[in-house]
């Protein structure tokens, strides 16, 4: 068991049309691909880490407060996984290979036990999916690169509200981080 699937910020607030900080249609378009990916990992009992942005109401000290409208507030439905992925998680959440980790910064490794949990399981290869390609996915894969993980991204499983940013990030993954980017071509 050396592989794991890391799903970043695929919440209602970031994906649904009326989400508080939504990527909109591009994020909704990857739902089925993420669903299939989840099932592939889950059928082999490979670890799946749901990494979920966490904010508190009126947090004057959080650096995102000045940058973005309130989103992914603790205790709200906006922090639930989106659509079919929420349904999948609801069914499988108590299985030992399924993890939910709250995060408070863009990177899934910042202030979370993700690295420790991966190391304990001898995991050296991770696949990262979710939103946004050029924000939280980007920061997560940069940290993974610096920590020595072999990282894969499937371009059908990442999305952004900013198409230019999305394309820049995919190029950066491939050309600067040397990652395997699955383009299905
Ligand atoms: Zn946030």
């Amino acid at each position: 068991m050396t592989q794991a699937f890391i799903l970043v910020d695929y919440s209602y607030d970031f994906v649904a049309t009326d989400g508080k900080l939504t990527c909109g249609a591009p994020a909704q378009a990857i739902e089925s691909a993420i669903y299939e990916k989840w099932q592939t990992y889950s059928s082999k009992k490979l670890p799946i880490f749901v990494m979920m942005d966490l904010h508190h109401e009126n947090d004057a000290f959080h650096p995102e407060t000045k940058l973005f409208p309130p989103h992914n507030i603790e205790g709200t439905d906006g922090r639930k996984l989106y659509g079919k992925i929420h349904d999948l998680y609801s069914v499988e959440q108590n299985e030992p290979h399924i993890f939910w980790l709250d995060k408070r910064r863009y990177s899934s490794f910042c202030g979370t036990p993700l690295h420790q949990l991966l190391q304990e399981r001898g995991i050296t290869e991770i696949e990262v999916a979710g939103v946004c390609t050029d924000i939280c996915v980007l920061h997560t894969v940069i940290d993974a690169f610096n920590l020595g993980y072999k990282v894969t991204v499937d371009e059908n499983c990442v999305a952004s509200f900013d198409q230019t940013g999305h394309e820049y990030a995919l190029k950066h993954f491939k050309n600067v981080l040397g990652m395997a980017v699955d383009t299905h071509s």
Side-chain angles (χ1 to χ4, degrees), residues 145-180:
F145 172 84
N146 289 331
L147 290 165
Y149 289 98
K150 181 168 185 268
V151 186
T152 302
V153 167
D154 183 328
E155 70 167 7
N156 289 351
C157 292
V158 290
S160 176
F161 60 94
D162 176 350
Q163 184 61 21
T164 307
H166 171 77
E167 284 163 18
Y168 157 77
L170 288 176
K171 258 189 229 166
H172 188 85
F173 298 164
K174 208 194 272 184
N175 300 337
V176 180
L177 305 179
M179 287 168 41

PDB file of all heavy atoms in Angstrom, residues 145-180:
ATOM      1  N   PHE A 145       5.688  18.038  -3.206  1.00  0.00           N
ATOM      2  CA  PHE A 145       6.959  17.992  -3.943  1.00  0.00           C
ATOM      3  C   PHE A 145       8.124  18.208  -2.984  1.00  0.00           C
ATOM      4  O   PHE A 145       9.109  17.456  -2.987  1.00  0.00           O
ATOM      5  CB  PHE A 145       6.937  19.077  -5.026  1.00  0.00           C
ATOM      6  CG  PHE A 145       8.239  19.280  -5.748  1.00  0.00           C
ATOM      7  CD1 PHE A 145       8.597  18.481  -6.830  1.00  0.00           C
ATOM      8  CD2 PHE A 145       9.124  20.278  -5.345  1.00  0.00           C
ATOM      9  CE1 PHE A 145       9.803  18.676  -7.500  1.00  0.00           C
ATOM     10  CE2 PHE A 145      10.327  20.480  -6.011  1.00  0.00           C
ATOM     11  CZ  PHE A 145      10.670  19.671  -7.085  1.00  0.00           C
ATOM     12  N   ASN A 146       8.003  19.232  -2.139  1.00  0.00           N
ATOM     13  CA  ASN A 146       9.095  19.550  -1.209  1.00  0.00           C
ATOM     14  C   ASN A 146       9.307  18.462  -0.168  1.00  0.00           C
ATOM     15  O   ASN A 146      10.408  18.294   0.354  1.00  0.00           O
ATOM     16  CB  ASN A 146       8.828  20.898  -0.523  1.00  0.00           C
ATOM     17  CG  ASN A 146       8.987  22.058  -1.487  1.00  0.00           C
ATOM     18  OD1 ASN A 146       9.757  21.984  -2.445  1.00  0.00           O
ATOM     19  ND2 ASN A 146       8.258  23.139  -1.253  1.00  0.00           N
ATOM     20  N   LEU A 147       8.248  17.715   0.139  1.00  0.00           N
ATOM     21  CA  LEU A 147       8.352  16.626   1.113  1.00  0.00           C
ATOM     22  C   LEU A 147       8.788  15.314   0.462  1.00  0.00           C
ATOM     23  O   LEU A 147       8.951  14.310   1.143  1.00  0.00           O
ATOM     24  CB  LEU A 147       7.000  16.431   1.825  1.00  0.00           C
ATOM     25  CG  LEU A 147       6.605  17.559   2.786  1.00  0.00           C
ATOM     26  CD1 LEU A 147       5.124  17.467   3.136  1.00  0.00           C
ATOM     27  CD2 LEU A 147       7.452  17.508   4.048  1.00  0.00           C
ATOM     28  N   GLY A 148       8.951  15.328  -0.868  1.00  0.00           N
ATOM     29  CA  GLY A 148       9.485  14.150  -1.541  1.00  0.00           C
ATOM     30  C   GLY A 148       8.470  13.154  -2.057  1.00  0.00           C
ATOM     31  O   GLY A 148       8.834  12.034  -2.428  1.00  0.00           O
ATOM     32  N   TYR A 149       7.207  13.531  -2.092  1.00  0.00           N
ATOM     33  CA  TYR A 149       6.190  12.611  -2.626  1.00  0.00           C
ATOM     34  C   TYR A 149       6.220  12.597  -4.144  1.00  0.00           C
ATOM     35  O   TYR A 149       6.517  13.606  -4.787  1.00  0.00           O
ATOM     36  CB  TYR A 149       4.784  13.031  -2.177  1.00  0.00           C
ATOM     37  CG  TYR A 149       4.526  12.795  -0.719  1.00  0.00           C
ATOM     38  CD1 TYR A 149       4.662  13.838   0.196  1.00  0.00           C
ATOM     39  CD2 TYR A 149       4.174  11.535  -0.243  1.00  0.00           C
ATOM     40  CE1 TYR A 149       4.450  13.635   1.552  1.00  0.00           C
ATOM     41  CE2 TYR A 149       3.953  11.331   1.108  1.00  0.00           C
ATOM     42  CZ  TYR A 149       4.090  12.377   1.998  1.00  0.00           C
ATOM     43  OH  TYR A 149       3.877  12.172   3.336  1.00  0.00           O
ATOM     44  N   LYS A 150       5.889  11.447  -4.703  1.00  0.00           N
ATOM     45  CA  LYS A 150       5.625  11.352  -6.136  1.00  0.00           C
ATOM     46  C   LYS A 150       4.145  11.701  -6.312  1.00  0.00           C
ATOM     47  O   LYS A 150       3.273  11.056  -5.719  1.00  0.00           O
ATOM     48  CB  LYS A 150       5.911   9.926  -6.618  1.00  0.00           C
ATOM     49  CG  LYS A 150       5.703   9.710  -8.092  1.00  0.00           C
ATOM     50  CD  LYS A 150       6.282   8.364  -8.509  1.00  0.00           C
ATOM     51  CE  LYS A 150       6.172   8.201 -10.018  1.00  0.00           C
ATOM     52  NZ  LYS A 150       4.968   7.543 -10.459  1.00  0.00           N
ATOM     53  N   VAL A 151       3.877  12.724  -7.109  1.00  0.00           N
ATOM     54  CA  VAL A 151       2.508  13.252  -7.195  1.00  0.00           C
ATOM     55  C   VAL A 151       1.947  13.104  -8.598  1.00  0.00           C
ATOM     56  O   VAL A 151       2.650  13.341  -9.587  1.00  0.00           O
ATOM     57  CB  VAL A 151       2.463  14.751  -6.804  1.00  0.00           C
ATOM     58  CG1 VAL A 151       1.022  15.248  -6.743  1.00  0.00           C
ATOM     59  CG2 VAL A 151       3.165  14.993  -5.476  1.00  0.00           C
ATOM     60  N   THR A 152       0.701  12.707  -8.673  1.00  0.00           N
ATOM     61  CA  THR A 152      -0.019  12.645  -9.938  1.00  0.00           C
ATOM     62  C   THR A 152      -1.259  13.531  -9.852  1.00  0.00           C
ATOM     63  O   THR A 152      -1.895  13.609  -8.798  1.00  0.00           O
ATOM     64  CB  THR A 152      -0.483  11.199 -10.231  1.00  0.00           C
ATOM     65  OG1 THR A 152       0.653  10.350 -10.255  1.00  0.00           O
ATOM     66  CG2 THR A 152      -1.203  11.107 -11.558  1.00  0.00           C
ATOM     67  N   VAL A 153      -1.558  14.210 -10.948  1.00  0.00           N
ATOM     68  CA  VAL A 153      -2.814  14.951 -11.060  1.00  0.00           C
ATOM     69  C   VAL A 153      -3.483  14.543 -12.369  1.00  0.00           C
ATOM     70  O   VAL A 153      -2.826  14.478 -13.411  1.00  0.00           O
ATOM     71  CB  VAL A 153      -2.586  16.479 -11.033  1.00  0.00           C
ATOM     72  CG1 VAL A 153      -3.832  17.233 -11.455  1.00  0.00           C
ATOM     73  CG2 VAL A 153      -2.154  16.942  -9.654  1.00  0.00           C
ATOM     74  N   ASP A 154      -4.762  14.242 -12.294  1.00  0.00           N
ATOM     75  CA  ASP A 154      -5.553  13.972 -13.493  1.00  0.00           C
ATOM     76  C   ASP A 154      -6.258  15.276 -13.859  1.00  0.00           C
ATOM     77  O   ASP A 154      -7.015  15.817 -13.042  1.00  0.00           O
ATOM     78  CB  ASP A 154      -6.574  12.868 -13.164  1.00  0.00           C
ATOM     79  CG  ASP A 154      -7.389  12.460 -14.380  1.00  0.00           C
ATOM     80  OD1 ASP A 154      -7.637  13.325 -15.254  1.00  0.00           O
ATOM     81  OD2 ASP A 154      -7.801  11.296 -14.432  1.00  0.00           O
ATOM     82  N   GLU A 155      -6.025  15.785 -15.063  1.00  0.00           N
ATOM     83  CA  GLU A 155      -6.598  17.104 -15.389  1.00  0.00           C
ATOM     84  C   GLU A 155      -8.125  17.086 -15.417  1.00  0.00           C
ATOM     85  O   GLU A 155      -8.752  18.134 -15.326  1.00  0.00           O
ATOM     86  CB  GLU A 155      -6.033  17.648 -16.707  1.00  0.00           C
ATOM     87  CG  GLU A 155      -6.492  16.926 -17.929  1.00  0.00           C
ATOM     88  CD  GLU A 155      -6.159  17.697 -19.214  1.00  0.00           C
ATOM     89  OE1 GLU A 155      -5.459  18.719 -19.148  1.00  0.00           O
ATOM     90  OE2 GLU A 155      -6.619  17.236 -20.270  1.00  0.00           O
ATOM     91  N   ASN A 156      -8.718  15.917 -15.511  1.00  0.00           N
ATOM     92  CA  ASN A 156     -10.180  15.819 -15.450  1.00  0.00           C
ATOM     93  C   ASN A 156     -10.713  15.874 -14.022  1.00  0.00           C
ATOM     94  O   ASN A 156     -11.922  15.857 -13.814  1.00  0.00           O
ATOM     95  CB  ASN A 156     -10.657  14.510 -16.090  1.00  0.00           C
ATOM     96  CG  ASN A 156     -10.491  14.529 -17.596  1.00  0.00           C
ATOM     97  OD1 ASN A 156     -10.172  15.561 -18.174  1.00  0.00           O
ATOM     98  ND2 ASN A 156     -10.699  13.378 -18.221  1.00  0.00           N
ATOM     99  N   CYS A 157      -9.807  15.907 -13.038  1.00  0.00           N
ATOM    100  CA  CYS A 157     -10.224  15.879 -11.634  1.00  0.00           C
ATOM    101  C   CYS A 157      -9.819  17.134 -10.868  1.00  0.00           C
ATOM    102  O   CYS A 157      -9.862  17.163  -9.638  1.00  0.00           O
ATOM    103  CB  CYS A 157      -9.645  14.648 -10.935  1.00  0.00           C
ATOM    104  SG  CYS A 157     -10.332  13.097 -11.516  1.00  0.00           S
ATOM    105  N   VAL A 158      -9.387  18.170 -11.587  1.00  0.00           N
ATOM    106  CA  VAL A 158      -9.081  19.463 -10.956  1.00  0.00           C
ATOM    107  C   VAL A 158      -9.766  20.569 -11.757  1.00  0.00           C
ATOM    108  O   VAL A 158      -9.991  20.419 -12.960  1.00  0.00           O
ATOM    109  CB  VAL A 158      -7.560  19.751 -10.866  1.00  0.00           C
ATOM    110  CG1 VAL A 158      -6.892  18.825  -9.861  1.00  0.00           C
ATOM    111  CG2 VAL A 158      -6.874  19.635 -12.224  1.00  0.00           C
ATOM    112  N   ALA A 159     -10.088  21.675 -11.085  1.00  0.00           N
ATOM    113  CA  ALA A 159     -10.778  22.773 -11.770  1.00  0.00           C
ATOM    114  C   ALA A 159     -10.551  24.078 -11.031  1.00  0.00           C
ATOM    115  O   ALA A 159     -10.162  24.085  -9.855  1.00  0.00           O
ATOM    116  CB  ALA A 159     -12.280  22.488 -11.855  1.00  0.00           C
ATOM    117  N   SER A 160     -10.795  25.167 -11.756  1.00  0.00           N
ATOM    118  CA  SER A 160     -10.690  26.499 -11.154  1.00  0.00           C
ATOM    119  C   SER A 160     -11.730  27.423 -11.774  1.00  0.00           C
ATOM    120  O   SER A 160     -12.191  27.192 -12.893  1.00  0.00           O
ATOM    121  CB  SER A 160      -9.295  27.073 -11.387  1.00  0.00           C
ATOM    122  OG  SER A 160      -9.214  28.401 -10.882  1.00  0.00           O
ATOM    123  N   PHE A 161     -12.050  28.496 -11.059  1.00  0.00           N
ATOM    124  CA  PHE A 161     -12.905  29.551 -11.612  1.00  0.00           C
ATOM    125  C   PHE A 161     -12.137  30.340 -12.669  1.00  0.00           C
ATOM    126  O   PHE A 161     -12.717  31.065 -13.471  1.00  0.00           O
ATOM    127  CB  PHE A 161     -13.365  30.500 -10.491  1.00  0.00           C
ATOM    128  CG  PHE A 161     -12.217  31.178  -9.797  1.00  0.00           C
ATOM    129  CD1 PHE A 161     -11.793  32.436 -10.193  1.00  0.00           C
ATOM    130  CD2 PHE A 161     -11.532  30.532  -8.756  1.00  0.00           C
ATOM    131  CE1 PHE A 161     -10.714  33.052  -9.575  1.00  0.00           C
ATOM    132  CE2 PHE A 161     -10.447  31.135  -8.138  1.00  0.00           C
ATOM    133  CZ  PHE A 161     -10.032  32.388  -8.551  1.00  0.00           C
ATOM    134  N   ASP A 162     -10.788  30.204 -12.642  1.00  0.00           N
ATOM    135  CA  ASP A 162      -9.902  30.998 -13.492  1.00  0.00           C
ATOM    136  C   ASP A 162      -9.199  30.055 -14.472  1.00  0.00           C
ATOM    137  O   ASP A 162      -8.262  29.345 -14.096  1.00  0.00           O
ATOM    138  CB  ASP A 162      -8.889  31.718 -12.586  1.00  0.00           C
ATOM    139  CG  ASP A 162      -7.845  32.510 -13.361  1.00  0.00           C
ATOM    140  OD1 ASP A 162      -7.764  32.378 -14.597  1.00  0.00           O
ATOM    141  OD2 ASP A 162      -7.100  33.262 -12.711  1.00  0.00           O
ATOM    142  N   GLN A 163      -9.663  30.036 -15.724  1.00  0.00           N
ATOM    143  CA  GLN A 163      -9.133  29.085 -16.705  1.00  0.00           C
ATOM    144  C   GLN A 163      -7.643  29.322 -16.975  1.00  0.00           C
ATOM    145  O   GLN A 163      -6.869  28.373 -17.126  1.00  0.00           O
ATOM    146  CB  GLN A 163      -9.945  29.186 -18.011  1.00  0.00           C
ATOM    147  CG  GLN A 163      -9.563  28.185 -19.094  1.00  0.00           C
ATOM    148  CD  GLN A 163      -9.749  26.714 -18.675  1.00  0.00           C
ATOM    149  OE1 GLN A 163     -10.518  26.415 -17.743  1.00  0.00           O
ATOM    150  NE2 GLN A 163      -9.048  25.805 -19.327  1.00  0.00           N
ATOM    151  N   THR A 164      -7.224  30.599 -16.996  1.00  0.00           N
ATOM    152  CA  THR A 164      -5.811  30.915 -17.208  1.00  0.00           C
ATOM    153  C   THR A 164      -4.967  30.379 -16.052  1.00  0.00           C
ATOM    154  O   THR A 164      -3.904  29.787 -16.252  1.00  0.00           O
ATOM    155  CB  THR A 164      -5.618  32.446 -17.334  1.00  0.00           C
ATOM    156  OG1 THR A 164      -6.507  32.921 -18.340  1.00  0.00           O
ATOM    157  CG2 THR A 164      -4.200  32.805 -17.720  1.00  0.00           C
ATOM    158  N   GLY A 165      -5.463  30.585 -14.844  1.00  0.00           N
ATOM    159  CA  GLY A 165      -4.773  30.076 -13.656  1.00  0.00           C
ATOM    160  C   GLY A 165      -4.710  28.554 -13.661  1.00  0.00           C
ATOM    161  O   GLY A 165      -3.692  27.949 -13.308  1.00  0.00           O
ATOM    162  N   HIS A 166      -5.800  27.927 -14.073  1.00  0.00           N
ATOM    163  CA  HIS A 166      -5.885  26.460 -14.170  1.00  0.00           C
ATOM    164  C   HIS A 166      -4.800  25.932 -15.114  1.00  0.00           C
ATOM    165  O   HIS A 166      -4.053  25.005 -14.773  1.00  0.00           O
ATOM    166  CB  HIS A 166      -7.281  26.096 -14.669  1.00  0.00           C
ATOM    167  CG  HIS A 166      -7.491  24.664 -15.027  1.00  0.00           C
ATOM    168  ND1 HIS A 166      -7.681  23.675 -14.071  1.00  0.00           N
ATOM    169  CD2 HIS A 166      -7.549  24.045 -16.235  1.00  0.00           C
ATOM    170  CE1 HIS A 166      -7.840  22.506 -14.694  1.00  0.00           C
ATOM    171  NE2 HIS A 166      -7.764  22.706 -15.993  1.00  0.00           N
ATOM    172  N   GLU A 167      -4.703  26.561 -16.278  1.00  0.00           N
ATOM    173  CA  GLU A 167      -3.721  26.101 -17.276  1.00  0.00           C
ATOM    174  C   GLU A 167      -2.290  26.368 -16.825  1.00  0.00           C
ATOM    175  O   GLU A 167      -1.402  25.537 -17.010  1.00  0.00           O
ATOM    176  CB  GLU A 167      -4.010  26.762 -18.635  1.00  0.00           C
ATOM    177  CG  GLU A 167      -5.210  26.127 -19.312  1.00  0.00           C
ATOM    178  CD  GLU A 167      -5.793  26.970 -20.436  1.00  0.00           C
ATOM    179  OE1 GLU A 167      -5.086  27.882 -20.930  1.00  0.00           O
ATOM    180  OE2 GLU A 167      -6.953  26.724 -20.801  1.00  0.00           O
ATOM    181  N   TYR A 168      -2.078  27.526 -16.189  1.00  0.00           N
ATOM    182  CA  TYR A 168      -0.747  27.833 -15.650  1.00  0.00           C
ATOM    183  C   TYR A 168      -0.344  26.764 -14.629  1.00  0.00           C
ATOM    184  O   TYR A 168       0.786  26.253 -14.658  1.00  0.00           O
ATOM    185  CB  TYR A 168      -0.744  29.215 -14.974  1.00  0.00           C
ATOM    186  CG  TYR A 168       0.370  29.334 -13.969  1.00  0.00           C
ATOM    187  CD1 TYR A 168       1.687  29.546 -14.383  1.00  0.00           C
ATOM    188  CD2 TYR A 168       0.128  29.142 -12.598  1.00  0.00           C
ATOM    189  CE1 TYR A 168       2.717  29.588 -13.457  1.00  0.00           C
ATOM    190  CE2 TYR A 168       1.158  29.174 -11.682  1.00  0.00           C
ATOM    191  CZ  TYR A 168       2.445  29.399 -12.113  1.00  0.00           C
ATOM    192  OH  TYR A 168       3.468  29.416 -11.203  1.00  0.00           O
ATOM    193  N   ALA A 169      -1.269  26.439 -13.737  1.00  0.00           N
ATOM    194  CA  ALA A 169      -0.951  25.478 -12.670  1.00  0.00           C
ATOM    195  C   ALA A 169      -0.596  24.108 -13.255  1.00  0.00           C
ATOM    196  O   ALA A 169       0.381  23.483 -12.832  1.00  0.00           O
ATOM    197  CB  ALA A 169      -2.115  25.374 -11.689  1.00  0.00           C
ATOM    198  N   LEU A 170      -1.373  23.648 -14.238  1.00  0.00           N
ATOM    199  CA  LEU A 170      -1.089  22.339 -14.846  1.00  0.00           C
ATOM    200  C   LEU A 170       0.304  22.333 -15.484  1.00  0.00           C
ATOM    201  O   LEU A 170       1.048  21.360 -15.370  1.00  0.00           O
ATOM    202  CB  LEU A 170      -2.154  21.979 -15.878  1.00  0.00           C
ATOM    203  CG  LEU A 170      -3.532  21.603 -15.321  1.00  0.00           C
ATOM    204  CD1 LEU A 170      -4.517  21.367 -16.459  1.00  0.00           C
ATOM    205  CD2 LEU A 170      -3.478  20.376 -14.417  1.00  0.00           C
ATOM    206  N   LYS A 171       0.647  23.445 -16.153  1.00  0.00           N
ATOM    207  CA  LYS A 171       1.989  23.559 -16.755  1.00  0.00           C
ATOM    208  C   LYS A 171       3.069  23.528 -15.679  1.00  0.00           C
ATOM    209  O   LYS A 171       4.113  22.895 -15.843  1.00  0.00           O
ATOM    210  CB  LYS A 171       2.094  24.888 -17.519  1.00  0.00           C
ATOM    211  CG  LYS A 171       1.965  24.739 -19.014  1.00  0.00           C
ATOM    212  CD  LYS A 171       2.308  26.065 -19.697  1.00  0.00           C
ATOM    213  CE  LYS A 171       1.229  26.391 -20.695  1.00  0.00           C
ATOM    214  NZ  LYS A 171       1.275  27.766 -21.162  1.00  0.00           N
ATOM    215  N   HIS A 172       2.811  24.226 -14.594  1.00  0.00           N
ATOM    216  CA  HIS A 172       3.765  24.283 -13.485  1.00  0.00           C
ATOM    217  C   HIS A 172       3.971  22.877 -12.892  1.00  0.00           C
ATOM    218  O   HIS A 172       5.102  22.471 -12.620  1.00  0.00           O
ATOM    219  CB  HIS A 172       3.228  25.240 -12.418  1.00  0.00           C
ATOM    220  CG  HIS A 172       4.196  25.534 -11.311  1.00  0.00           C
ATOM    221  ND1 HIS A 172       5.151  26.510 -11.392  1.00  0.00           N
ATOM    222  CD2 HIS A 172       4.367  24.948 -10.099  1.00  0.00           C
ATOM    223  CE1 HIS A 172       5.865  26.535 -10.274  1.00  0.00           C
ATOM    224  NE2 HIS A 172       5.398  25.593  -9.468  1.00  0.00           N
ATOM    225  N   PHE A 173       2.889  22.144 -12.719  1.00  0.00           N
ATOM    226  CA  PHE A 173       2.983  20.775 -12.166  1.00  0.00           C
ATOM    227  C   PHE A 173       3.928  19.943 -13.036  1.00  0.00           C
ATOM    228  O   PHE A 173       4.797  19.233 -12.546  1.00  0.00           O
ATOM    229  CB  PHE A 173       1.627  20.066 -12.158  1.00  0.00           C
ATOM    230  CG  PHE A 173       0.566  20.716 -11.323  1.00  0.00           C
ATOM    231  CD1 PHE A 173      -0.773  20.360 -11.491  1.00  0.00           C
ATOM    232  CD2 PHE A 173       0.873  21.687 -10.375  1.00  0.00           C
ATOM    233  CE1 PHE A 173      -1.766  20.954 -10.724  1.00  0.00           C
ATOM    234  CE2 PHE A 173      -0.116  22.289  -9.607  1.00  0.00           C
ATOM    235  CZ  PHE A 173      -1.437  21.908  -9.791  1.00  0.00           C
ATOM    236  N   LYS A 174       3.712  20.054 -14.352  1.00  0.00           N
ATOM    237  CA  LYS A 174       4.434  19.199 -15.290  1.00  0.00           C
ATOM    238  C   LYS A 174       5.879  19.674 -15.487  1.00  0.00           C
ATOM    239  O   LYS A 174       6.826  18.896 -15.346  1.00  0.00           O
ATOM    240  CB  LYS A 174       3.689  19.232 -16.634  1.00  0.00           C
ATOM    241  CG  LYS A 174       3.876  17.963 -17.449  1.00  0.00           C
ATOM    242  CD  LYS A 174       3.424  18.173 -18.880  1.00  0.00           C
ATOM    243  CE  LYS A 174       1.961  17.885 -19.050  1.00  0.00           C
ATOM    244  NZ  LYS A 174       1.460  17.962 -20.403  1.00  0.00           N
ATOM    245  N   ASN A 175       6.041  20.969 -15.780  1.00  0.00           N
ATOM    246  CA  ASN A 175       7.351  21.477 -16.213  1.00  0.00           C
ATOM    247  C   ASN A 175       8.282  21.875 -15.079  1.00  0.00           C
ATOM    248  O   ASN A 175       9.496  21.867 -15.248  1.00  0.00           O
ATOM    249  CB  ASN A 175       7.165  22.686 -17.140  1.00  0.00           C
ATOM    250  CG  ASN A 175       6.371  22.325 -18.384  1.00  0.00           C
ATOM    251  OD1 ASN A 175       6.319  21.162 -18.776  1.00  0.00           O
ATOM    252  ND2 ASN A 175       5.739  23.307 -18.986  1.00  0.00           N
ATOM    253  N   VAL A 176       7.722  22.262 -13.936  1.00  0.00           N
ATOM    254  CA  VAL A 176       8.562  22.748 -12.848  1.00  0.00           C
ATOM    255  C   VAL A 176       8.648  21.732 -11.704  1.00  0.00           C
ATOM    256  O   VAL A 176       9.687  21.569 -11.082  1.00  0.00           O
ATOM    257  CB  VAL A 176       8.028  24.113 -12.322  1.00  0.00           C
ATOM    258  CG1 VAL A 176       8.891  24.644 -11.190  1.00  0.00           C
ATOM    259  CG2 VAL A 176       7.970  25.121 -13.467  1.00  0.00           C
ATOM    260  N   LEU A 177       7.543  21.024 -11.463  1.00  0.00           N
ATOM    261  CA  LEU A 177       7.555  20.034 -10.392  1.00  0.00           C
ATOM    262  C   LEU A 177       7.796  18.614 -10.914  1.00  0.00           C
ATOM    263  O   LEU A 177       7.935  17.685 -10.122  1.00  0.00           O
ATOM    264  CB  LEU A 177       6.238  20.089  -9.595  1.00  0.00           C
ATOM    265  CG  LEU A 177       5.864  21.456  -9.009  1.00  0.00           C
ATOM    266  CD1 LEU A 177       4.547  21.387  -8.260  1.00  0.00           C
ATOM    267  CD2 LEU A 177       6.959  21.970  -8.070  1.00  0.00           C
ATOM    268  N   GLY A 178       7.808  18.472 -12.235  1.00  0.00           N
ATOM    269  CA  GLY A 178       8.095  17.155 -12.821  1.00  0.00           C
ATOM    270  C   GLY A 178       7.035  16.110 -12.533  1.00  0.00           C
ATOM    271  O   GLY A 178       7.311  14.906 -12.496  1.00  0.00           O
ATOM    272  N   MET A 179       5.806  16.563 -12.323  1.00  0.00           N
ATOM    273  CA  MET A 179       4.740  15.633 -11.967  1.00  0.00           C
ATOM    274  C   MET A 179       4.122  14.961 -13.174  1.00  0.00           C
ATOM    275  O   MET A 179       4.169  15.500 -14.287  1.00  0.00           O
ATOM    276  CB  MET A 179       3.618  16.400 -11.245  1.00  0.00           C
ATOM    277  CG  MET A 179       3.979  16.821  -9.852  1.00  0.00           C
ATOM    278  SD  MET A 179       2.753  17.989  -9.220  1.00  0.00           S
ATOM    279  CE  MET A 179       1.228  17.283  -9.807  1.00  0.00           C
ATOM    280  N   ALA A 180       3.512  13.809 -12.934  1.00  0.00           N
ATOM    281  CA  ALA A 180       2.730  13.157 -13.976  1.00  0.00           C
ATOM    282  C   ALA A 180       1.363  13.824 -14.018  1.00  0.00           C
ATOM    283  O   ALA A 180       0.630  13.812 -13.035  1.00  0.00           O
ATOM    284  CB  ALA A 180       2.577  11.681 -13.654  1.00  0.00           C
TER     285      ALA A 180
END
